[in-house]
Amino acid sequence: LLLGIGAVWLITRTLGQLTVIPENVGDPLAMASWGLATTFGGAGVVQFVRARTTVDPHRANRASSLVTGGFYRISRNPMYLGLLLLLIGAVLRSGNVAALIVLPAFIAYMNRFQIQPEERVLTELFG
């Protein structure tokens, strides 16, 4: 996420403002995106805490239960969805159309290096 936000900043700084979203539209949309990010990400964390399982994505092997209720009924990864929404908010706030390239790069990275390894571990633990 931090690399993605840094990339948005660098793209905007390097390429200048390729603005297609006016501030009076982009800023409220960014705020809405950040609000949704807090909702999805926060709810995911709360559900993990209630289930007394690890929230640490680097220690999926320490998971004590598989959370499937609440937000996990509509998204397999609400915490990662929250991170994506934070990044979408950063892109909207920048107003720079070139920064959109960061979004699919973030999704590809998260799928390859975070979600797939976690799913392998969880499959081993819970079937």
Side-chain angles (χ1 to χ4, degrees):
L1 175 65
L2 294 178
L3 289 174
I5 291 171
V8 170
W9 176 84
L10 186 62
I11 288 167
T12 301
R13 183 142 171 105
T14 304
L15 299 178
Q17 286 290 21
L18 301 175
T19 305
V20 294
I21 303 172
E23 269 186 43
N24 65 339
V25 175
D27 287 355
L29 288 175
M31 296 297 285
S33 185
W34 293 331
L36 287 172
T38 302
T39 300
F40 277 96
V45 170
V46 166
Q47 287 179 263
F48 270 43
V49 169
R50 284 185 181 159
R52 294 190 175 132
T53 192
T54 183
V55 179
D56 185 349
H58 299 103
R59 300 196 191 320
N61 61 328
R62 293 186 180 176
S64 59
S65 63
L66 191 62
V67 179
T68 59
F71 277 96
Y72 286 90
R73 287 184 187 172
I74 58 173
S75 171
R76 287 171 55 179
N77 298 293
M79 287 186 262
Y80 296 143
L81 177 58
L83 295 178
L84 176 62
L85 288 165
L86 287 173
L87 192 54
I88 289 170
V91 171
L92 288 167
R93 178 69 179 92
S94 80
N96 191 322
V97 69
L100 288 170
I101 191 68
V102 174
L103 301 177
F106 177 80
I107 292 168
Y109 177 87
M110 291 301 290
N111 276 306
R112 171 69 177 92
F113 295 104
Q114 196 61 50
I115 294 170
Q116 289 175 1
E118 279 181 22
E119 288 183 349
R120 278 193 294 275
V121 170
L122 294 175
T123 299
E124 289 175 16
L125 288 173
F126 303 108

